[in-house]
Amino acid sequence: VQLQASGGGLVQAGGSLRLSCAASGRTFAIFAMGWFRQAPGKEREFVGAIAWSSGITYYEDSVKGRFTISRDNAKNTMYLQMNSLKPEDTAVYYCASGPSARSLGVLQNYWGQGTQVTVSS
């Protein structure tokens, strides 16, 4: 499975941005996909995940109510809609896939390249 993230950019605090992650290759093997982010000088952290079949989502507490993960199965694409962005959301955002949405934070098998999100104050 190959994952391609896109959609990053510069946005003002309070603004919105939508990231996409397109999957290709053995897409039939996708059970869950999700997003991670890594801010400068910090470890990579889990943002959220979606179960590919059911659409059930899981989120890290700091983004609940602001970020929404969705997917388009026909396009093999996952989205991250980010609203009410804060400067502390600035990071490189990565998409990943794994065997379970519930455990994607600790178990991943494929990664996409990152896309930079910068939120100015």
Side-chain angles (χ1 to χ4, degrees), residues 5-52:
S6 62
L10 174 64
V11 63
Q12 288 189 333
S16 298
L17 207 58
R18 189 177 82 155
L19 306 183
S20 299
C21 178
S24 60
R26 302 177 69 230
T27 56
F28 61 86
I30 295 175
F31 296 96
M33 290 181 67
W35 294 95
F36 293 74
R37 65 185 181 185
Q38 187 167 20
K42 295 187 177 181
E43 293 187 354
R44 188 175 299 186
E45 66 172 355
F46 173 73
V47 173
I50 186 165
W52 205 244

